[in-house]
Amino acid sequence: MSACADRGAIVAERIFALIDCNSFYCSCERVFRPDLIRTPIVVLSNNDGCVVSRTPEAKALGIKMGEPWFQVRRGFEAAGGVAFSSNYALYGDISERVMTVIEGLVPQLEVYSIDEAFAELTGIQTDRVRMGREIRSQILAATGIPTGVGIAPTKTLAKLANFAAKRWQRQTGGVVDITDPKRRDKLLQAVAVNEVWGVGRRITERLGEMGIRTAWQLAEADAWTLRKQFSVVLEKTARELRGTPCLELDGIAPPKQEICCSRMFGERLDELAPIREAVASYAARACEKLRAQGSVCKRVRVSIRTGMFNPDEPKFTKGMLCELPYPTDDTRLITQAALAGLDKLYRPGFAFSKAEVLLMDLCGRGEFTDDLFASSQPANSEKVMAVLDSINAKWGRGTLRPGVVPAAPAWSMRRELMSQSFTTRVDQLWRVSAR
Amino acid sequence: MDSVSILGPVAPSPTTIPFFLPTVPAGFPSPAQDHIEQRVSLDELFQLHRPQIYLAQVSGHSLTGLGILDGDLVLIDKALQPRREDVVIACLNGDPLIKIFDIEQQQVVLRSANPAYPPRYVLEGEELQIWGVYVGLCRQGRNCG
């Protein structure tokens, strides 16, 4: 990240755009279900726990973000609403298509999350609002996903412009350009401070105590006070709101320093055997991610816990760090270490709800210094893993897996309302009728 | 040039230099070596990498006259604007149909290519969305195992 650019320097004015998909998961569910075009839709989190995405029709029914599904289910279904389990295979594919469309239209792109991307439009001479509309309509044509586009001199302002594009969808046509300082100031005054990128609930509360309630008041706040009372990050946010770019587009994400695979079980587990299956399968998945980024790891942490909210249940949570003999990416070795850790952690008599496998102390393959007396990963281990990965890439994840993991485990996530993998499985393709 | 300037000693370098090439061709070099090209790719031919291309599976016999059979996989371009006589995915009142798109006196007609299936006139008040345009066909021959 570079230092803040001086105001009024003689360089082309920086222009950023944020393109954000509307109710992304729900919109994906609609792509192959034209019959649901006006139906209220929600998508549920892992294990069908909470609402994580809502269409405007579902919002109009009073469904809140994060609400537990079992609480809203009856009312929602009675009103004709349809719920889906998270279908990440579908969302991932549609997201890739959306990003590919944007990539073809802008000079530089940062994929910020599954449904948002920043683009830099600096130096582009054409009408920016028109360009925003072009991006929107091409994404809609290629994928059917509606989006909003915010355009501004900084990333934080682009995010805010995008918020305005969504809130005032009808008036703005989904594109808001606040490069003009007058429009920018008007928007800052109209928006509450908690809608600013990076301002969470706790910061909002503390800002409120200082009398800062709108985005405009944050932009006007004294930089030194913000830095002292909060952080440099919030100071930068305020500067960005004033129109001084402090954040650059992040290109390719640096390799992760830790890799985690953690999931709730579909049902409570009290015996060791099924928990071992789950931990082995999470370890195998984490190792796939590890090899995909070309790293090896030196330690693995395994942890298990019971549910934390049911007052009648005895609670238990414990983790353990397991050392590996040498930095490795071998599924067999890492799974073995994780299972050995689990065997020590496990206590009978508890209803366990979740396990986690965390790979730690990662470094690039071939980047670590060998211990003179330690053994290192044998070459044939790399060959075996390469074969494992290529077989799973060709025949589907989990085709080759540790022997402990069954093909259809009883503990796997509850996803009872899952739609088809329309674009990623040839046996689940969309069926069109020639009748 | 007969003057020489000494730049200093050569520093050791971590780069290793092989003594010989790892493979020594022993036989006659392949006459095709200079003519090797990428094998034809169906992905490229149908431009499957483009974000607007989708696969769908046909169920039914109404397009047999065009050689589009029950169970065939069809490639759909979602971004193309339909022209008359195009085969399209038409979502009529929410149902995805594969039909021939036509316009007759400003009324949309969805035609078939099989005499057993009469044309379907889209009435006012019905909901029609042209989802995409048919651009390619895949059918497996004898199962190649």
Side-chain angles (χ1 to χ4, degrees):
Chain A
M1 234 168 274
S2 75
C4 294
D6 278 332
R7 268 181 126 171
I10 318 165
V11 282
E13 195 196 2
R14 305 286 298 274
I15 305 289
F16 295 90
L18 177 72
I19 302 107
D20 186 1
C21 303
N22 301 350
S23 317
F24 181 62
Y25 293 177
C26 292
S27 299
C28 289
E29 295 293 349
R30 268 185 179 153
V31 171
F32 298 99
R33 291 291 304 271
D35 55 314
L36 299 180
I37 195 155
R38 271 182 285 277
T39 308
I41 298 177
V42 296
V43 170
L44 307 174
S45 59
N46 288 344
N47 261 336
D48 297 344
C50 309
V51 173
V52 291
S53 177
R54 310 161 292 160
T55 60
E57 297 81 5
K59 289 176 197 172
L61 289 175
I63 308 284
K64 303 271 177 301
M65 198 65 171
E67 260 187 313
W69 172 232
F70 75 91
Q71 276 178 15
V72 297
R73 176 174 195 164
R74 286 186 75 185
F76 182 66
E77 288 182 340
V82 175
F84 290 97
S85 305
S86 305
N87 183 347
Y88 290 112
L90 176 66
Y91 311 154
D93 178 72
I94 303 279
S95 169
E96 224 174 274
R97 291 171 188 265
V98 169
M99 299 306 169
T100 311
V101 173
I102 306 173
E103 221 165 31
L105 295 170
V106 302
Q108 249 195 87
L109 183 74
E110 171 195 347
V111 176
Y112 182 66
S113 70
I114 194 167
D115 60 353
E116 306 170 86
F118 283 104
E120 180 151 7
L121 306 183
T122 303
I124 283 179
Q125 298 300 323
T126 51
D127 179 351
R128 286 186 290 260
V129 173
R130 225 165 73 196
M131 181 162 182
R133 287 194 206 294
E134 180 66 17
I135 293 173
R136 271 195 97 224
S137 73
Q138 288 215 20
I139 295 172
L140 191 69
T143 65
I145 301 293
T147 51
V149 181
I151 301 166
T154 69
K155 283 171 85 174
T156 307
L157 282 170
K159 193 100 176 155
L160 209 65
N162 186 283
F163 166 78
K166 281 189 170 171
R167 157 107 24 125
W168 295 288
Q169 172 97 37
R170 208 164 298 155
Q171 297 91 316
T172 60
V175 180
V176 168
D177 177 0
I178 52 168
T179 45
D180 170 22
K182 275 190 205 135
R183 292 200 69 194
R184 179 194 321 167
D185 292 352
K186 224 176 110 188
L187 179 64
L188 286 175
Q189 284 162 2
V191 172
V193 74
N194 65 320
E195 299 296 351
V196 174
W197 189 29
V199 177
R201 212 187 54 201
R202 281 191 48 205
I203 295 180
T204 304
E205 274 171 24
R206 284 176 59 201
L207 286 171
E209 287 161 16
M210 297 166 64
I212 297 175
R213 293 196 173 78
T214 64
W216 170 257
Q217 286 169 322
L218 179 60
E220 291 289 288
D222 176 55
W224 183 241
T225 314
L226 289 180
R227 180 185 289 217
K228 252 190 346 197
Q229 304 242 338
F230 297 89
S231 64
V232 186
V233 180
L234 195 67
E235 186 204 341
K236 277 190 180 169
T237 301
R239 275 186 199 238
E240 286 237 325
L241 287 177
R242 285 198 299 273
T244 310
C246 298
L247 304 173
E248 295 296 323
L249 283 200
D250 284 330
I252 301 144
K256 292 197 182 109
Q257 288 306 303
E258 284 181 347
I259 288 174
C260 176
C261 182
S262 100
R263 275 172 217 159
M264 301 279 285
F265 308 135
E267 57 187 23
R268 295 292 152 97
L269 301 176
D270 46 12
E271 287 187 31
L272 180 58
I275 301 178
R276 291 185 103 236
E277 294 170 10
V279 164
S281 110
Y282 300 174
R285 177 67 195 121
C287 292
E288 274 173 20
K289 293 189 200 168
L290 183 70
R291 290 192 294 273
Q293 71 168 33
S295 300
V296 290
C297 84
K298 297 180 200 157
R299 286 184 187 85
V300 49
R301 186 176 188 278
V302 56
S303 57
I304 46 174
R305 67 170 173 80
T306 58
M308 286 295 138
F309 301 109
N310 187 343
D312 305 327
E313 260 178 4
K315 289 168 194 57
F316 180 92
T317 172
K318 201 169 179 191
M320 178 164 192
L321 200 62
C322 317
E323 299 281 336
L324 295 160
Y326 42 80
T328 180
D329 58 5
D330 189 321
T331 299
R332 297 167 297 178
L333 214 57
I334 292 170
T335 307
Q336 209 178 29
L339 288 178
L342 172 68
D343 291 346
K344 290 195 188 123
L345 284 178
Y346 172 78
R347 297 276 178 287
F350 293 95
F352 290 101
S353 69
K354 187 178 185 177
E356 179 181 292
V357 172
L358 182 68
L359 306 185
M360 303 168 72
D361 275 343
L362 309 192
C363 55
R365 201 182 283 147
E367 270 172 23
F368 58 92
T369 17
D370 275 323
D371 182 334
L372 187 58
F373 302 106
S375 50
S376 61
Q377 174 152 286
N380 81 2
S381 165
E382 269 156 43
K383 278 189 197 151
V384 172
M385 288 304 117
V387 169
L388 172 87
D389 287 336
S390 67
I391 287 177
N392 284 340
K394 189 163 179 197
W395 301 104
R397 191 167 282 160
T399 305
L400 261 188
R401 56 181 185 274
V404 235
V405 183
W411 42 263
S412 61
M413 273 200 292
R414 226 182 358 242
R415 290 198 284 187
E416 286 162 1
L417 306 166
M418 183 106 117
S419 51
Q420 287 158 252
S421 294
F422 289 105
T423 56
T424 50
R425 294 285 299 270
V426 78
D427 56 335
Q428 296 184 17
L429 289 174
W430 195 30
R431 292 185 78 88
V432 292
S433 170
R435 289 178 207 285
Chain B
M1 241 216 315
D2 39 20
S3 80
V4 170
S5 41
I6 308 291
L7 296 170
V10 177
S13 149
T15 315
T16 54
I17 298 161
F19 282 120
F20 48 81
L21 291 170
T23 59
V24 183
F28 187 72
S30 163
Q33 210 170 37
D34 294 338
H35 304 275
I36 289 175
E37 289 180 3
Q38 282 290 313
R39 193 175 287 172
V40 171
S41 152
L42 284 178
D43 286 27
E44 264 169 49
L45 197 62
F46 287 101
Q47 300 192 40
L48 292 184
H49 61 277
R50 291 188 307 158
Q52 67 267 41
I53 303 293
Y54 297 82
L55 265 178
Q57 184 160 38
V58 176
S59 98
H61 304 274
S62 70
L63 292 178
T64 48
L66 290 176
I68 301 175
L69 308 184
D70 186 39
D72 280 352
L73 301 187
V74 285
L75 291 168
I76 310 297
D77 186 325
K78 185 159 171 45
L80 269 188
Q81 285 299 317
R83 296 194 206 125
R84 288 186 61 179
E85 307 291 318
D86 272 343
V87 173
V88 298
I89 306 296
C91 297
L92 186 58
N93 305 321
D95 282 336
L97 310 173
I98 181 161
K99 289 280 172 185
I100 301 161
F101 178 77
D102 200 3
I103 295 172
E104 208 174 273
Q105 291 160 358
Q106 282 157 23
Q107 188 180 19
V108 174
V109 193
L110 302 175
R111 297 187 192 284
S112 297
N114 180 338
Y117 296 81
R120 173 71 161 84
Y121 289 83
V122 179
L123 307 174
E124 227 173 284
E126 284 194 298
E127 198 168 303
L128 179 75
Q129 180 208 354
I130 302 299
W131 196 93
V133 176
Y134 160 83
V135 291
L137 180 67
C138 335
R139 181 183 311 147
Q140 188 156 28
R142 202 190 81 178
N143 195 325
C144 48

Short mmCIF file of all heavy atoms in Angstrom, two decimals, chain A residues 301-331:
data_model
loop_
_atom_site.label_atom_id
_atom_site.label_comp_id
_atom_site.label_asym_id
_atom_site.label_seq_id
_atom_site.Cartn_x
_atom_site.Cartn_y
_atom_site.Cartn_z
N ARG A 301 -3.05 -27.63 13.71
CA ARG A 301 -3.81 -27.52 14.94
C ARG A 301 -5.18 -28.13 14.69
O ARG A 301 -5.85 -27.82 13.70
CB ARG A 301 -3.97 -26.05 15.33
CG ARG A 301 -4.62 -25.87 16.69
CD ARG A 301 -4.67 -24.39 17.06
NE ARG A 301 -5.10 -24.21 18.43
CZ ARG A 301 -6.37 -24.21 18.81
NH1 ARG A 301 -7.33 -24.37 17.92
NH2 ARG A 301 -6.69 -24.05 20.08
N VAL A 302 -5.59 -29.01 15.59
CA VAL A 302 -6.91 -29.63 15.45
C VAL A 302 -7.72 -29.25 16.68
O VAL A 302 -7.19 -29.16 17.78
CB VAL A 302 -6.78 -31.17 15.27
CG1 VAL A 302 -6.00 -31.79 16.41
CG2 VAL A 302 -8.14 -31.82 15.15
N SER A 303 -9.00 -28.93 16.46
CA SER A 303 -9.83 -28.59 17.62
C SER A 303 -11.26 -29.09 17.42
O SER A 303 -11.72 -29.25 16.28
CB SER A 303 -9.82 -27.08 17.88
OG SER A 303 -10.24 -26.39 16.74
N ILE A 304 -11.92 -29.35 18.53
CA ILE A 304 -13.33 -29.77 18.49
C ILE A 304 -14.09 -29.00 19.55
O ILE A 304 -13.51 -28.55 20.54
CB ILE A 304 -13.51 -31.29 18.76
CG1 ILE A 304 -12.67 -31.72 19.97
CG2 ILE A 304 -13.17 -32.11 17.54
CD1 ILE A 304 -12.90 -33.16 20.39
N ARG A 305 -15.38 -28.83 19.30
CA ARG A 305 -16.18 -28.20 20.35
C ARG A 305 -17.63 -28.68 20.31
O ARG A 305 -18.11 -29.17 19.28
CB ARG A 305 -16.12 -26.68 20.26
CG ARG A 305 -16.78 -26.07 19.05
CD ARG A 305 -16.83 -24.56 19.29
NE ARG A 305 -17.29 -23.80 18.15
CZ ARG A 305 -18.56 -23.65 17.80
NH1 ARG A 305 -19.52 -24.29 18.46
NH2 ARG A 305 -18.89 -22.90 16.77
N THR A 306 -18.31 -28.48 21.43
CA THR A 306 -19.73 -28.79 21.49
C THR A 306 -20.49 -27.53 21.10
O THR A 306 -19.89 -26.48 20.89
CB THR A 306 -20.14 -29.16 22.92
OG1 THR A 306 -19.80 -28.05 23.76
CG2 THR A 306 -19.41 -30.40 23.41
N GLY A 307 -21.82 -27.61 21.02
CA GLY A 307 -22.62 -26.42 20.82
C GLY A 307 -22.39 -25.47 21.98
O GLY A 307 -22.09 -25.89 23.08
N MET A 308 -22.49 -24.16 21.72
CA MET A 308 -22.15 -23.20 22.76
C MET A 308 -23.40 -22.53 23.34
O MET A 308 -23.32 -21.77 24.29
CB MET A 308 -21.23 -22.12 22.18
CG MET A 308 -19.82 -22.61 21.95
SD MET A 308 -19.02 -23.02 23.51
CE MET A 308 -18.19 -24.54 23.09
N PHE A 309 -24.55 -22.76 22.75
CA PHE A 309 -25.71 -21.94 23.12
C PHE A 309 -26.78 -22.69 23.91
O PHE A 309 -27.51 -22.10 24.66
CB PHE A 309 -26.32 -21.30 21.87
CG PHE A 309 -25.31 -20.44 21.17
CD1 PHE A 309 -24.78 -20.81 19.96
CD2 PHE A 309 -24.87 -19.26 21.77
CE1 PHE A 309 -23.84 -20.02 19.32
CE2 PHE A 309 -23.92 -18.47 21.15
CZ PHE A 309 -23.40 -18.85 19.93
N ASN A 310 -26.85 -23.97 23.74
CA ASN A 310 -27.87 -24.72 24.46
C ASN A 310 -27.49 -24.83 25.94
O ASN A 310 -26.50 -25.45 26.29
CB ASN A 310 -28.01 -26.12 23.84
CG ASN A 310 -29.18 -26.87 24.44
OD1 ASN A 310 -29.69 -26.51 25.51
ND2 ASN A 310 -29.60 -27.93 23.76
N PRO A 311 -28.27 -24.18 26.84
CA PRO A 311 -27.90 -24.15 28.27
C PRO A 311 -27.95 -25.53 28.92
O PRO A 311 -27.31 -25.72 29.96
CB PRO A 311 -28.93 -23.20 28.89
CG PRO A 311 -30.06 -23.12 27.91
CD PRO A 311 -29.51 -23.43 26.57
N ASP A 312 -28.69 -26.48 28.35
CA ASP A 312 -28.82 -27.79 29.00
C ASP A 312 -27.67 -28.73 28.64
O ASP A 312 -27.57 -29.82 29.20
CB ASP A 312 -30.14 -28.45 28.58
CG ASP A 312 -31.32 -27.54 28.86
OD1 ASP A 312 -31.24 -26.79 29.86
OD2 ASP A 312 -32.29 -27.58 28.08
N GLU A 313 -26.84 -28.33 27.68
CA GLU A 313 -25.79 -29.24 27.22
C GLU A 313 -24.48 -28.94 27.92
O GLU A 313 -24.12 -27.78 28.09
CB GLU A 313 -25.55 -29.00 25.72
CG GLU A 313 -26.22 -29.99 24.81
CD GLU A 313 -25.96 -29.64 23.36
OE1 GLU A 313 -25.22 -28.69 23.05
OE2 GLU A 313 -26.53 -30.35 22.53
N PRO A 314 -23.75 -29.97 28.34
CA PRO A 314 -22.41 -29.70 28.88
C PRO A 314 -21.50 -29.20 27.75
O PRO A 314 -21.57 -29.71 26.63
CB PRO A 314 -21.94 -31.06 29.40
CG PRO A 314 -22.80 -32.07 28.71
CD PRO A 314 -24.08 -31.40 28.34
N LYS A 315 -20.71 -28.19 28.05
CA LYS A 315 -19.89 -27.57 27.02
C LYS A 315 -18.45 -28.03 27.12
O LYS A 315 -17.93 -28.27 28.20
CB LYS A 315 -19.98 -26.06 27.12
CG LYS A 315 -21.33 -25.57 26.69
CD LYS A 315 -21.58 -24.13 27.04
CE LYS A 315 -23.03 -23.79 26.89
NZ LYS A 315 -23.91 -24.66 27.73
N PHE A 316 -17.82 -28.12 25.95
CA PHE A 316 -16.44 -28.56 25.89
C PHE A 316 -15.81 -27.98 24.64
O PHE A 316 -16.41 -28.00 23.57
CB PHE A 316 -16.40 -30.10 25.83
CG PHE A 316 -15.02 -30.68 25.77
CD1 PHE A 316 -14.36 -31.05 26.93
CD2 PHE A 316 -14.37 -30.88 24.56
CE1 PHE A 316 -13.09 -31.60 26.88
CE2 PHE A 316 -13.09 -31.43 24.51
CZ PHE A 316 -12.45 -31.79 25.67
N THR A 317 -14.66 -27.40 24.78
CA THR A 317 -13.95 -26.96 23.58
C THR A 317 -12.47 -27.06 23.85
O THR A 317 -11.98 -26.68 24.91
CB THR A 317 -14.35 -25.53 23.16
OG1 THR A 317 -13.48 -25.13 22.10
CG2 THR A 317 -14.24 -24.53 24.29
N LYS A 318 -11.75 -27.67 22.91
CA LYS A 318 -10.33 -27.85 23.13
C LYS A 318 -9.61 -28.01 21.81
O LYS A 318 -10.14 -28.57 20.86
CB LYS A 318 -10.10 -29.11 23.97
CG LYS A 318 -8.75 -29.10 24.66
CD LYS A 318 -8.66 -30.19 25.69
CE LYS A 318 -7.28 -30.16 26.34
NZ LYS A 318 -7.02 -31.33 27.16
N GLY A 319 -8.40 -27.47 21.76
CA GLY A 319 -7.59 -27.60 20.56
C GLY A 319 -6.21 -28.09 20.91
O GLY A 319 -5.82 -28.10 22.08
N MET A 320 -5.48 -28.54 19.90
CA MET A 320 -4.16 -29.08 20.17
C MET A 320 -3.26 -28.87 18.96
O MET A 320 -3.68 -29.02 17.82
CB MET A 320 -4.30 -30.57 20.44
CG MET A 320 -2.98 -31.21 20.67
SD MET A 320 -3.28 -32.79 21.42
CE MET A 320 -1.63 -33.14 21.90
N LEU A 321 -2.02 -28.50 19.27
CA LEU A 321 -1.06 -28.25 18.21
C LEU A 321 -0.24 -29.51 17.98
O LEU A 321 0.28 -30.10 18.92
CB LEU A 321 -0.14 -27.11 18.65
CG LEU A 321 0.62 -26.40 17.55
CD1 LEU A 321 -0.36 -25.73 16.59
CD2 LEU A 321 1.55 -25.37 18.17
N CYS A 322 -0.13 -29.94 16.73
CA CYS A 322 0.63 -31.15 16.44
C CYS A 322 1.80 -30.78 15.53
O CYS A 322 1.62 -30.12 14.51
CB CYS A 322 -0.24 -32.18 15.72
SG CYS A 322 -1.87 -32.34 16.43
N GLU A 323 2.98 -31.22 15.92
CA GLU A 323 4.18 -30.95 15.12
C GLU A 323 4.30 -32.00 14.02
O GLU A 323 4.00 -33.17 14.23
CB GLU A 323 5.43 -31.04 16.00
CG GLU A 323 5.45 -30.04 17.13
CD GLU A 323 5.86 -28.64 16.67
OE1 GLU A 323 6.55 -28.55 15.63
OE2 GLU A 323 5.49 -27.66 17.34
N LEU A 324 4.76 -31.56 12.86
CA LEU A 324 5.01 -32.50 11.78
C LEU A 324 6.51 -32.79 11.72
O LEU A 324 7.32 -31.94 12.10
CB LEU A 324 4.53 -31.90 10.46
CG LEU A 324 3.01 -31.69 10.43
CD1 LEU A 324 2.60 -30.69 9.38
CD2 LEU A 324 2.30 -33.02 10.22
N PRO A 325 6.90 -33.98 11.27
CA PRO A 325 8.32 -34.34 11.28
C PRO A 325 9.17 -33.41 10.39
O PRO A 325 10.34 -33.20 10.67
CB PRO A 325 8.34 -35.77 10.78
CG PRO A 325 7.02 -35.98 10.13
CD PRO A 325 6.05 -35.08 10.81
N TYR A 326 8.58 -32.91 9.32
CA TYR A 326 9.28 -31.98 8.44
C TYR A 326 8.22 -31.19 7.68
O TYR A 326 7.07 -31.63 7.62
CB TYR A 326 10.21 -32.72 7.46
CG TYR A 326 9.61 -33.98 6.86
CD1 TYR A 326 8.72 -33.90 5.78
CD2 TYR A 326 9.91 -35.24 7.37
CE1 TYR A 326 8.16 -35.04 5.24
CE2 TYR A 326 9.35 -36.39 6.83
CZ TYR A 326 8.48 -36.28 5.76
OH TYR A 326 7.92 -37.41 5.22
N PRO A 327 8.57 -30.02 7.12
CA PRO A 327 7.57 -29.24 6.38
C PRO A 327 7.02 -30.08 5.24
O PRO A 327 7.80 -30.63 4.46
CB PRO A 327 8.36 -28.04 5.84
CG PRO A 327 9.56 -27.95 6.71
CD PRO A 327 9.89 -29.34 7.14
N THR A 328 5.71 -30.19 5.18
CA THR A 328 5.14 -31.14 4.23
C THR A 328 3.80 -30.68 3.66
O THR A 328 3.15 -29.79 4.24
CB THR A 328 4.94 -32.52 4.92
OG1 THR A 328 4.39 -33.43 3.98
CG2 THR A 328 3.97 -32.40 6.11
N ASP A 329 3.41 -31.27 2.54
CA ASP A 329 2.07 -31.05 2.00
C ASP A 329 1.40 -32.40 1.74
O ASP A 329 0.49 -32.51 0.95
CB ASP A 329 2.13 -30.21 0.71
CG ASP A 329 2.98 -30.85 -0.37
OD1 ASP A 329 3.45 -31.99 -0.17
OD2 ASP A 329 3.16 -30.22 -1.42
N ASP A 330 1.91 -33.44 2.42
CA ASP A 330 1.43 -34.79 2.19
C ASP A 330 0.17 -35.04 3.03
O ASP A 330 0.21 -35.03 4.26
CB ASP A 330 2.54 -35.79 2.58
CG ASP A 330 2.19 -37.21 2.15
OD1 ASP A 330 1.00 -37.60 2.28
OD2 ASP A 330 3.10 -37.93 1.70
N THR A 331 -0.95 -35.28 2.33
CA THR A 331 -2.22 -35.51 3.01
C THR A 331 -2.10 -36.61 4.06
O THR A 331 -2.66 -36.51 5.16
CB THR A 331 -3.30 -35.91 1.98
OG1 THR A 331 -3.45 -34.85 1.05
CG2 THR A 331 -4.64 -36.18 2.64
#
